[in-house]
Amino acid sequence: MWRKFSRLFVIKTKFEAFLVIYGLAMGATERGAHYVQQYHGSVGGWMLFAACPVAVFMAGARILDSVERSDWS
């Protein structure tokens, strides 16, 4: 039973990978917007805002790379 449950959290296709990356990107931009509001008028808020999507780019590249290498067919 646990094996079937854990299979729900395995990314098998590129479409699923893009959906996960989209969700991460939406959360990162929301967090970045909070940084800009919290540190308004400073460069630090915008730097933190820029760091959030960069982390998603790095994670997205890793996710897509792992989906391409695996043999799910």
Side-chain angles (χ1 to χ4, degrees):
M1 181 177 110
W2 287 109
R3 185 177 298 216
K4 288 182 180 180
F5 181 72
S6 66
R7 294 271 300 158
L8 292 172
F9 300 100
V10 176
I11 301 171
K12 299 180 220 62
T13 64
K14 276 192 173 186
F15 180 72
E16 292 173 350
F18 284 124
L19 287 176
V20 168
I21 293 168
Y22 177 76
L24 289 172
M26 294 302 289
T29 53
E30 181 68 26
R31 184 167 181 100
H34 285 284
Y35 283 140
V36 171
Q37 288 177 355
Q38 187 175 4
Y39 302 110
H40 58 87
S42 71
V43 177
W46 286 104
M47 289 178 65
L48 288 170
F49 178 84
C52 291
V54 168
V56 174
F57 290 146
M58 294 183 343
R62 177 70 176 112
I63 291 169
L64 287 174
D65 189 41
S66 65
V67 170
E68 288 176 0
R69 289 187 188 182
S70 63
D71 186 25
W72 294 102
S73 38

PDB file of all heavy atoms in Angstrom, residues 3-4 8-9 20 25-26 35 49 55 57 72:
ATOM      1  N   ARG A   3       3.809   1.566  -1.174  1.00  0.00           N
ATOM      2  CA  ARG A   3       4.474   1.694  -2.468  1.00  0.00           C
ATOM      3  C   ARG A   3       3.569   2.410  -3.467  1.00  0.00           C
ATOM      4  O   ARG A   3       4.014   3.283  -4.206  1.00  0.00           O
ATOM      5  CB  ARG A   3       4.862   0.318  -2.995  1.00  0.00           C
ATOM      6  CG  ARG A   3       5.654   0.396  -4.280  1.00  0.00           C
ATOM      7  CD  ARG A   3       6.079  -0.962  -4.717  1.00  0.00           C
ATOM      8  NE  ARG A   3       6.949  -1.508  -3.679  1.00  0.00           N
ATOM      9  CZ  ARG A   3       7.988  -2.273  -3.904  1.00  0.00           C
ATOM     10  NH1 ARG A   3       8.269  -2.611  -5.133  1.00  0.00           N
ATOM     11  NH2 ARG A   3       8.723  -2.730  -2.938  1.00  0.00           N
ATOM     12  N   LYS A   4       2.294   2.052  -3.485  1.00  0.00           N
ATOM     13  CA  LYS A   4       1.346   2.724  -4.378  1.00  0.00           C
ATOM     14  C   LYS A   4       1.192   4.194  -3.999  1.00  0.00           C
ATOM     15  O   LYS A   4       1.092   5.066  -4.865  1.00  0.00           O
ATOM     16  CB  LYS A   4      -0.013   2.041  -4.335  1.00  0.00           C
ATOM     17  CG  LYS A   4      -0.036   0.700  -5.025  1.00  0.00           C
ATOM     18  CD  LYS A   4      -1.430   0.113  -4.991  1.00  0.00           C
ATOM     19  CE  LYS A   4      -1.470  -1.229  -5.663  1.00  0.00           C
ATOM     20  NZ  LYS A   4      -2.802  -1.818  -5.642  1.00  0.00           N
ATOM     21  N   LEU A   8       2.656   8.175  -6.222  1.00  0.00           N
ATOM     22  CA  LEU A   8       1.965   9.410  -6.550  1.00  0.00           C
ATOM     23  C   LEU A   8       2.914  10.601  -6.580  1.00  0.00           C
ATOM     24  O   LEU A   8       2.658  11.600  -7.240  1.00  0.00           O
ATOM     25  CB  LEU A   8       0.851   9.683  -5.542  1.00  0.00           C
ATOM     26  CG  LEU A   8      -0.331   8.731  -5.559  1.00  0.00           C
ATOM     27  CD1 LEU A   8      -1.240   9.028  -4.375  1.00  0.00           C
ATOM     28  CD2 LEU A   8      -1.089   8.860  -6.854  1.00  0.00           C
ATOM     29  N   PHE A   9       4.022  10.510  -5.861  1.00  0.00           N
ATOM     30  CA  PHE A   9       4.948  11.621  -5.734  1.00  0.00           C
ATOM     31  C   PHE A   9       6.176  11.480  -6.623  1.00  0.00           C
ATOM     32  O   PHE A   9       7.149  12.202  -6.444  1.00  0.00           O
ATOM     33  CB  PHE A   9       5.372  11.777  -4.272  1.00  0.00           C
ATOM     34  CG  PHE A   9       4.208  12.052  -3.374  1.00  0.00           C
ATOM     35  CD1 PHE A   9       3.631  11.042  -2.624  1.00  0.00           C
ATOM     36  CD2 PHE A   9       3.659  13.316  -3.312  1.00  0.00           C
ATOM     37  CE1 PHE A   9       2.545  11.294  -1.805  1.00  0.00           C
ATOM     38  CE2 PHE A   9       2.568  13.579  -2.501  1.00  0.00           C
ATOM     39  CZ  PHE A   9       2.018  12.565  -1.751  1.00  0.00           C
ATOM     40  N   VAL A  20       5.261  20.891 -11.883  1.00  0.00           N
ATOM     41  CA  VAL A  20       5.942  21.096 -10.602  1.00  0.00           C
ATOM     42  C   VAL A  20       6.763  22.382 -10.648  1.00  0.00           C
ATOM     43  O   VAL A  20       6.753  23.182  -9.701  1.00  0.00           O
ATOM     44  CB  VAL A  20       6.825  19.878 -10.264  1.00  0.00           C
ATOM     45  CG1 VAL A  20       7.747  20.171  -9.106  1.00  0.00           C
ATOM     46  CG2 VAL A  20       5.965  18.670  -9.961  1.00  0.00           C
ATOM     47  N   ALA A  25       7.645  28.099  -9.296  1.00  0.00           N
ATOM     48  CA  ALA A  25       7.841  29.470  -9.770  1.00  0.00           C
ATOM     49  C   ALA A  25       6.786  30.411  -9.197  1.00  0.00           C
ATOM     50  O   ALA A  25       7.095  31.554  -8.827  1.00  0.00           O
ATOM     51  CB  ALA A  25       7.820  29.507 -11.290  1.00  0.00           C
ATOM     52  N   MET A  26       5.547  29.949  -9.135  1.00  0.00           N
ATOM     53  CA  MET A  26       4.494  30.796  -8.577  1.00  0.00           C
ATOM     54  C   MET A  26       4.769  31.102  -7.102  1.00  0.00           C
ATOM     55  O   MET A  26       4.608  32.233  -6.638  1.00  0.00           O
ATOM     56  CB  MET A  26       3.135  30.122  -8.736  1.00  0.00           C
ATOM     57  CG  MET A  26       2.692  29.972 -10.172  1.00  0.00           C
ATOM     58  SD  MET A  26       2.591  31.518 -11.051  1.00  0.00           S
ATOM     59  CE  MET A  26       1.177  32.233 -10.276  1.00  0.00           C
ATOM     60  N   TYR A  35       9.208  39.895  -0.080  1.00  0.00           N
ATOM     61  CA  TYR A  35      10.495  40.521   0.244  1.00  0.00           C
ATOM     62  C   TYR A  35      10.519  41.979  -0.191  1.00  0.00           C
ATOM     63  O   TYR A  35      11.018  42.840   0.529  1.00  0.00           O
ATOM     64  CB  TYR A  35      11.645  39.776  -0.432  1.00  0.00           C
ATOM     65  CG  TYR A  35      12.029  38.485   0.240  1.00  0.00           C
ATOM     66  CD1 TYR A  35      12.358  37.361  -0.516  1.00  0.00           C
ATOM     67  CD2 TYR A  35      12.105  38.383   1.621  1.00  0.00           C
ATOM     68  CE1 TYR A  35      12.718  36.181   0.089  1.00  0.00           C
ATOM     69  CE2 TYR A  35      12.459  37.201   2.236  1.00  0.00           C
ATOM     70  CZ  TYR A  35      12.779  36.102   1.466  1.00  0.00           C
ATOM     71  OH  TYR A  35      13.145  34.937   2.072  1.00  0.00           O
ATOM     72  N   PHE A  49      14.325  39.234  -4.113  1.00  0.00           N
ATOM     73  CA  PHE A  49      13.326  38.891  -5.113  1.00  0.00           C
ATOM     74  C   PHE A  49      13.971  38.168  -6.293  1.00  0.00           C
ATOM     75  O   PHE A  49      13.436  37.185  -6.797  1.00  0.00           O
ATOM     76  CB  PHE A  49      12.621  40.153  -5.605  1.00  0.00           C
ATOM     77  CG  PHE A  49      11.600  39.890  -6.670  1.00  0.00           C
ATOM     78  CD1 PHE A  49      10.322  39.499  -6.322  1.00  0.00           C
ATOM     79  CD2 PHE A  49      11.907  40.025  -8.009  1.00  0.00           C
ATOM     80  CE1 PHE A  49       9.361  39.246  -7.298  1.00  0.00           C
ATOM     81  CE2 PHE A  49      10.964  39.777  -8.994  1.00  0.00           C
ATOM     82  CZ  PHE A  49       9.682  39.390  -8.632  1.00  0.00           C
ATOM     83  N   ALA A  55      16.627  30.336  -7.885  1.00  0.00           N
ATOM     84  CA  ALA A  55      16.584  29.024  -7.235  1.00  0.00           C
ATOM     85  C   ALA A  55      15.635  28.083  -7.972  1.00  0.00           C
ATOM     86  O   ALA A  55      15.908  26.886  -8.103  1.00  0.00           O
ATOM     87  CB  ALA A  55      16.155  29.181  -5.780  1.00  0.00           C
ATOM     88  N   PHE A  57      14.980  28.237 -11.221  1.00  0.00           N
ATOM     89  CA  PHE A  57      15.658  27.868 -12.461  1.00  0.00           C
ATOM     90  C   PHE A  57      16.620  26.714 -12.227  1.00  0.00           C
ATOM     91  O   PHE A  57      16.691  25.769 -13.009  1.00  0.00           O
ATOM     92  CB  PHE A  57      16.420  29.048 -13.050  1.00  0.00           C
ATOM     93  CG  PHE A  57      15.551  30.135 -13.600  1.00  0.00           C
ATOM     94  CD1 PHE A  57      15.950  31.451 -13.523  1.00  0.00           C
ATOM     95  CD2 PHE A  57      14.323  29.863 -14.180  1.00  0.00           C
ATOM     96  CE1 PHE A  57      15.159  32.460 -14.024  1.00  0.00           C
ATOM     97  CE2 PHE A  57      13.517  30.866 -14.681  1.00  0.00           C
ATOM     98  CZ  PHE A  57      13.940  32.164 -14.601  1.00  0.00           C
ATOM     99  N   TRP A  72      11.302   5.554 -18.321  1.00  0.00           N
ATOM    100  CA  TRP A  72       9.984   5.202 -17.788  1.00  0.00           C
ATOM    101  C   TRP A  72       9.146   4.428 -18.774  1.00  0.00           C
ATOM    102  O   TRP A  72       8.019   4.089 -18.483  1.00  0.00           O
ATOM    103  CB  TRP A  72       9.240   6.460 -17.375  1.00  0.00           C
ATOM    104  CG  TRP A  72       9.865   7.158 -16.235  1.00  0.00           C
ATOM    105  CD1 TRP A  72      10.624   8.259 -16.287  1.00  0.00           C
ATOM    106  CD2 TRP A  72       9.831   6.774 -14.857  1.00  0.00           C
ATOM    107  NE1 TRP A  72      11.064   8.609 -15.041  1.00  0.00           N
ATOM    108  CE2 TRP A  72      10.577   7.706 -14.146  1.00  0.00           C
ATOM    109  CE3 TRP A  72       9.233   5.731 -14.160  1.00  0.00           C
ATOM    110  CZ2 TRP A  72      10.749   7.633 -12.783  1.00  0.00           C
ATOM    111  CZ3 TRP A  72       9.402   5.673 -12.791  1.00  0.00           C
ATOM    112  CH2 TRP A  72      10.145   6.601 -12.124  1.00  0.00           C
TER     113      TRP A  72
END
